[in-house]
Amino acid sequence: MARRRQSVTIKHVAADAGVSLQTVSRVINNEANVRPQMKERVQASIDKLGYIPSIAAQRMSGSRSYLILALNDRERTIEDWRSRQGSDWVDQMLYGGMLKCAEYGYRLIFELVDTHNDHVERELQAAIAALQPDGVILTPPHSDNPLITGVLREHNIPFAQIGSEGAGGGIPLIMGDEGAAHLATNHLVRLGHKKIGFITGSAEYLLSKWREDGWRGAMDNAGLPTDGLCAEGNFTFKSGLEAARKLLDQPARPTAIIASNDQMALAVLKVAKELGLGVPADLSIISFDNTPATRFAQPPITAIDQPIAATSSRAVELIISAKRGEDLPDAPTVIPAELIERDSTGPAADRSAANSN
Amino acid sequence: MARRRQSVTIKHVAADAGVSLQTVSRVINNEANVRPQMKERVQASIDKLGYIPSIAAQRMSGSRSYLILALNDRERTIEDWRSRQGSDWVDQMLYGGMLKCAEYGYRLIFELVDTHNDHVERELQAAIAALQPDGVILTPPHSDNPLITGVLREHNIPFAQIGSEGAGGGIPLIMGDEGAAHLATNHLVRLGHKKIGFITGSAEYLLSKWREDGWRGAMDNAGLPTDGLCAEGNFTFKSGLEAARKLLDQPARPTAIIASNDQMALAVLKVAKELGLGVPADLSIISFDNTPATRFAQPPITAIDQPIAATSSRAVELIISAKRGEDLPDAPTVIPAELIERDSTGPAADRSAANSN
DNA sequence: ATGAAAGCGCTAACAG
DNA sequence: CTGTTAGCGCTTTCAT
């Protein structure tokens, strides 16, 4: 394969504009100390020749690679891709992250790492050495991994921690999980529900606790008890099945259930059907995440939308700000989640009959 | 932001192993002309120091960037991301492409370009200049765009053309669309269907024609007429609605419909419900693509799976082969599509009543 | 405000 | 087989 050289380099531009390399470089990087007139002349040559700086060369000498690394969990991501259950987490990350990167002339590189593995550190070191990214976006359940945050701090690379409150020294962004759980719970309370069950996510994810806390808090505020209404899940359909059975197989069963993600909500729906419960007539369901599956369910499921695209977009902005030495917010950035009403929620059924059990 | 230098470079390794830079380089690149003993010694130093070559530096001097660019249509991709209808095309591309890249030490960079735009050429030139990719994967509807293939040839960059027969000089890969349409049609014929309708995709995509040809061919083989059974669509739900109404609003309506993608099949399902037709009792439906939406439909839709992951994986292999100067297949690589049977297909209804119209 | 020189980490080309 | 030399395209000093 022939050796490919840059077709038009900074040298060509310099020659064409009759200035030094340095001046061209200054114009490219929008630095001070260039007379407007000079700048214009150089820019004209750049446009004329169609010059684009090589990021490899920029990275070699300077400190910028214009690359931002988005780190995701390998196991979970591959399983999502393989199973094709319609989780669009990756798409939404790219949607927000790539487009925002493009605005600033950056590129997002999507990278997978092993969580349950001592290699994380080595994998990350390798990615950093190979790519020299200008910033890294950490996603759950890696966001607070001290091995990862340690390496990043050591290399002095700005990083965003999505779903983290910022332990580790990065830029924390959260999607308002606790508030969202309030939203969901209150919505059900307003519909007249008194017994509102909750299925937790895996404890490995901080947001699992936030969501549970939000539900408990809202129940408290409404003066409603939570005893026997919380079942453990781990985000899988299977765990949702078990949790749903546990909640619904009791005499005084809940009239509504909030599931910590869509797959588990789908499982609740299935168990409801098995038990002959109408949704929403006998049981209301709300889920977290709002992946496409919620739209296609029968009935479509009311869900808390996880604003992944907005969050990764903001993460990119903050990383670039940090890179520029600009001030960052003191508190974690919160991207609020919204409740998307669909057909799986309705007024609480009159439970006098059922309660007579 | 502090200037980040490579922490351990080829120099450190060379010093540690007591050899020249060049020898280390040879070991890294697995070149010939290194004594096994020497190689071992160098490798030991590499492992000891945790050395990883900088791709920026490799790209600067050598001819490899270890980057492969996957080009996708901006408009369509963003619309998919925005609408969240569960198309997992991007995910499947990444699934196949990224993992295969990782096997070879490459990285896949996902890039969006405008189709309907003279900028394509400039956009591509910019991406090439900035990234210097070792290869490019073209996806429909760009695969045969002469502006794109021209630029790529000019730069001598190997490229795969997914969904193309190879006009343009790249490496063609097709997903057996015509054969798949046969598969779908024959499946329906075996179920006793005689009037099998077809909804085309947008003419912008070559595969639209292949799918239609496959249907026509299979109908011919079965001695079945196709008059009035073909309706035009353009892959959108809306166009599917119109096409379905056209096909089903006639007296001698088809007992089965093949839609050129899932969204249009969903539309057929909707129209069937409006008309009070049972699926599959009164109407069988088969779709192309097999995105997650097909699983969630009521009933789940029998679909031709588009093997995107396998295809992009193979595309990466072929690009790397080409890069190495290895021989490539003469004919387009065909990744055969499979029929996934679900509940939207069944035996043809007895149409004596309907036919009496 | 601009230019000249030095070097980033690596590999191609050539010696030996 | 191994080492030496000369850049790749760009940005950082440091002059002017």
Side-chain angles (χ1 to χ4, degrees):
Chain A
M1 190 60 36
R3 186 188 177 97
R4 270 180 290 105
R5 291 247 115 82
Q6 200 86 342
S7 46
V8 30
T9 74
I10 197 171
K11 275 189 191 170
H12 300 104
V13 178
D16 185 82
V19 299
S20 73
L21 301 185
Q22 194 42 40
T23 303
V24 179
S25 173
R26 287 192 178 105
V27 172
I28 297 168
N29 296 295
N30 208 10
E31 282 172 26
N33 293 343
V34 185
R35 262 182 316 189
Q37 172 199 345
M38 180 96 279
K39 184 169 173 172
E40 216 169 286
R41 177 145 60 102
V42 173
Q43 190 58 53
S45 293
I46 291 178
D47 294 342
K48 189 177 92 186
L49 302 176
Y51 167 68
I52 303 280
S54 147
I55 69 158
Q58 293 191 131
R59 167 57 235 164
M60 280 298 292
S61 31
S63 54
R64 290 180 317 284
S65 63
Y66 294 106
L67 260 25
I68 290 180
L69 216 56
L71 245 49
N72 279 72
D73 186 54
R74 173 174 291 130
E75 211 175 301
R76 166 186 151 176
T77 304
I78 291 182
E79 175 53 23
D80 280 351
W81 284 341
R82 200 197 53 70
S83 70
R84 306 190 67 174
Q85 289 303 305
S87 162
D88 62 349
W89 166 275
V90 172
D91 298 67
Q92 294 301 306
M93 273 226 71
L94 293 178
Y95 184 21
M98 276 189 56
L99 298 192
K100 186 54 76 180
C101 275
E103 280 180 32
Y104 288 92
Y106 279 72
R107 267 181 179 86
L108 192 73
I109 299 202
F110 190 80
E111 186 92 4
L112 301 176
V113 295
D114 278 322
T115 334
H116 309 290
N117 198 317
D118 300 345
H119 302 12
V120 211
E121 200 173 340
R122 213 171 320 157
E123 285 192 341
L124 180 57
Q125 293 277 18
I128 292 174
L131 262 13
Q132 311 266 12
D134 283 350
V136 174
I137 299 177
L138 263 28
T139 58
H142 298 280
S143 302
D144 281 304
N145 186 329
L147 256 38
I148 295 181
T149 55
V151 169
L152 259 13
R153 272 201 314 275
E154 194 179 299
H155 283 269
N156 206 8
I157 299 176
F159 60 101
Q161 300 175 271
I162 292 183
S164 155
E165 287 176 315
I171 307 165
L173 295 102
I174 56 187
M175 302 195 235
D177 291 276
E178 190 162 349
H182 275 127
L183 226 57
T185 312
N186 291 340
H187 182 66
L188 292 168
V189 169
R190 267 196 305 277
L191 286 169
H193 294 272
K194 309 260 180 241
K195 293 181 72 74
I196 302 173
F198 187 86
I199 303 177
T200 72
S202 135
E204 198 182 359
Y205 291 69
L206 281 183
L207 57 83
S208 296
K209 185 161 184 344
W210 295 338
R211 290 174 183 180
E212 184 183 337
D213 287 349
W215 165 70
R216 286 192 191 280
M219 291 295 273
D220 265 7
N221 289 348
L224 264 20
T226 56
D227 303 323
L229 287 173
C230 184
E232 263 185 47
N234 65 9
F235 291 137
T236 62
F237 185 82
K238 186 156 167 288
S239 76
L241 248 27
E242 287 161 16
R245 291 203 181 103
K246 188 184 147 200
L247 289 175
L248 295 175
D249 265 353
Q250 40 188 344
R253 55 168 180 75
T255 60
I257 291 181
I258 300 174
S260 288
N261 81 338
D262 295 331
Q263 286 302 313
M264 297 196 296
L266 257 18
V268 174
L269 193 55
K270 180 164 184 211
V271 171
K273 277 193 187 138
E274 283 172 9
L275 297 177
L277 298 173
V279 174
D282 305 308
L283 181 72
S284 284
I285 302 177
I286 297 185
S287 74
F288 271 84
D289 289 359
N290 194 32
T291 54
T294 56
R295 294 162 182 64
F296 297 120
Q298 290 297 338
I301 299 176
T302 295
I304 293 289
D305 181 60
Q306 211 185 7
I308 304 161
T311 304
S312 64
S313 171
R314 190 82 190 101
V316 167
E317 283 181 336
L318 289 169
I319 285 173
I320 294 175
S321 278
K323 190 80 193 159
R324 291 179 173 168
E326 293 168 14
D327 282 346
L328 295 176
D330 295 324
T333 298
V334 180
I335 313 286
E338 282 171 38
L339 181 75
I340 312 291
E341 279 194 61
R342 297 204 180 86
D343 306 337
S344 67
T345 40
D350 180 355
R351 294 299 311 289
S352 46
N355 281 332
S356 68
N357 275 340
Chain B
M1 192 61 34
R3 184 191 178 93
R4 270 179 290 105
R5 290 247 118 80
Q6 201 86 342
S7 45
V8 29
T9 74
I10 198 171
K11 274 189 189 169
H12 300 105
V13 177
D16 184 82
V19 298
S20 73
L21 301 184
Q22 193 46 39
T23 303
V24 178
S25 174
R26 287 189 177 108
V27 172
I28 297 168
N29 295 295
N30 209 10
E31 282 174 26
N33 294 341
V34 185
R35 262 183 316 185
Q37 176 197 342
M38 182 95 277
K39 183 169 176 173
E40 217 170 284
R41 177 145 62 102
V42 172
Q43 190 59 53
S45 293
I46 291 177
D47 294 341
K48 189 176 94 186
L49 302 176
Y51 167 69
I52 303 279
S54 147
I55 70 158
Q58 293 190 128
R59 164 59 235 163
M60 280 301 290
S61 34
S63 53
R64 289 180 317 285
S65 64
Y66 294 105
L67 260 27
I68 291 181
L69 217 56
L71 245 49
N72 280 72
D73 185 55
R74 173 174 290 129
E75 210 175 303
R76 165 186 150 177
T77 303
I78 290 182
E79 174 54 22
D80 280 351
W81 284 342
R82 200 197 52 70
S83 71
R84 305 190 69 175
Q85 289 303 305
S87 161
D88 62 349
W89 164 276
V90 171
D91 297 69
Q92 294 300 306
M93 273 226 70
L94 292 178
Y95 185 21
M98 276 190 55
L99 298 191
K100 185 55 78 180
C101 275
E103 280 179 34
Y104 289 91
Y106 278 72
R107 266 181 181 86
L108 192 73
I109 299 200
F110 190 80
E111 187 93 4
L112 300 176
V113 294
D114 278 323
T115 334
H116 308 291
N117 197 316
D118 300 344
H119 301 12
V120 210
E121 198 172 341
R122 213 172 319 158
E123 284 192 341
L124 180 57
Q125 292 278 18
I128 291 174
L131 262 12
Q132 312 265 9
D134 283 351
V136 174
I137 300 177
L138 263 29
T139 58
H142 300 281
S143 302
D144 281 301
N145 185 328
L147 254 39
I148 295 181
T149 56
V151 169
L152 260 11
R153 272 201 315 277
E154 193 180 296
H155 283 270
N156 206 9
I157 299 175
F159 60 101
Q161 299 175 273
I162 292 182
S164 154
E165 288 175 317
I171 308 165
L173 294 101
I174 54 187
M175 303 197 232
D177 290 277
E178 188 162 351
H182 275 125
L183 225 57
T185 312
N186 291 340
H187 181 68
L188 291 168
V189 169
R190 267 196 305 277
L191 286 169
H193 294 273
K194 311 258 182 245
K195 295 182 71 73
I196 303 173
F198 187 87
I199 303 178
T200 72
S202 135
E204 198 181 1
Y205 291 69
L206 280 184
L207 57 81
S208 295
K209 185 161 183 345
W210 296 338
R211 290 174 183 180
E212 183 182 341
D213 287 349
W215 164 71
R216 287 194 191 280
M219 291 295 273
D220 265 8
N221 289 348
L224 263 21
T226 56
D227 303 324
L229 288 173
C230 185
E232 263 185 45
N234 63 10
F235 292 137
T236 62
F237 184 82
K238 185 156 169 290
S239 76
L241 247 28
E242 288 161 16
R245 291 203 180 103
K246 188 184 146 199
L247 289 175
L248 295 175
D249 264 352
Q250 43 189 343
R253 57 167 179 75
T255 62
I257 291 181
I258 300 174
S260 288
N261 80 341
D262 296 330
Q263 287 301 314
M264 296 195 297
L266 256 20
V268 174
L269 192 55
K270 180 163 186 212
V271 171
K273 279 195 184 138
E274 285 172 8
L275 298 177
L277 298 173
V279 174
D282 305 309
L283 180 72
S284 284
I285 302 177
I286 297 185
S287 75
F288 271 84
D289 289 359
N290 193 34
T291 54
T294 56
R295 294 162 183 65
F296 296 119
Q298 291 294 339
I301 299 176
T302 296
I304 293 289
D305 181 61
Q306 210 186 7
I308 304 160
T311 303
S312 64
S313 172
R314 189 85 190 101
V316 167
E317 283 181 336
L318 289 168
I319 285 173
I320 294 176
S321 277
K323 191 79 193 159
R324 290 179 174 165
E326 293 168 14
D327 282 346
L328 295 177
D330 296 323
T333 298
V334 180
I335 314 285
E338 282 171 39
L339 182 75
I340 313 290
E341 279 195 59
R342 297 204 181 88
D343 305 336
S344 67
T345 40
D350 180 355
R351 294 300 310 287
S352 45
N355 281 332
S356 67
N357 276 344

